[in-house]
Amino acid sequence: MKTYRRVGSGQEILHSDLEATLAQLPPIQLEANRKAEGYNQTQDEPQRVESVDEPEQPVHHVRVNNSFLATQERNILRALAARTPSIVTPDQLTALGLLGALLVLIGFAASRASPWFVFLAILGLFLNWLGDSLDGTLARYRKIERPDFGYFLDHSCDLVSQTLIFVGLGLSPYFTLFSSLLALSMYLLMTSFTYLKVLILKTHHLSYYGMGATELRLLLTAWALFGLWSGPGLVDARFAGLRVIDMTIFVLWSLVFLAFVWKVWSDTKRFREILDK
């Protein structure tokens, strides 16, 4: 497993053992809990870290990315960051990612009037990837990171962007709204689990089972092109009165949900000792 720990300078350091890295992280305990539990610090005990929810405290966590395209994507983003004009800021790239998601929504919805609007949706997926992926890389490259604000802004925009993308897909003639909202529910479920791990384990998983946001965008692009080639009749096939595509997506959703439950159980068991500390 490839893991990267962010340090104060904004660089990422490769680690091969996630548990060892987590074990080295300082324990965090809220002051209110310490008083409630009657905690008395002795002179021999090392100083504990205070709550990270204070505005001046940065969000430090281990970044874990073992998606299929992680290495290639990281190299491309570093090259782009080195060549990005100084007038371009990370916040502008974040806004570009949101604009791309909006173009996806418009392009997919407009493809009901003309199938060629699918290419607008594909352009939006590319801009969404560029803005969402390059903003953090550019901030780290220029050493202008804002760990708290950047984390909050970036991932808030991610939630909005993915909602726009999935709803747009459901409004297209190449998918159904039921299937797209079902897929969105799974994405938000995995996202919630990811943010819990950032809070509790100080690890940010950018992918699961080799799939990350970049791989998802590529799958959506491939599906859009396939839908353009096959035509809107793609969603009309039925079996026992139900759309085949809805039945297929529901089966896939069920399998992913079971995998998610297994992941939660295995991570709880795996990190129980760390969590108890």
Side-chain angles (χ1 to χ4, degrees), residues 63-76:
R63 292 164 56 89
V64 182
N65 188 359
N66 31 329
S67 67
F68 296 122
L69 300 175
T71 301
Q72 296 84 347
E73 181 183 25
R74 185 167 54 253
N75 293 335
I76 292 174

Side-chain angles (χ1 to χ4, degrees), residues 13 37 66 138 148 178 194 239 254:
I13 300 178
E37 296 174 3
N66 31 329
L138 184 64
D148 279 330
F178 170 81
T194 297
F239 178 79
S254 301

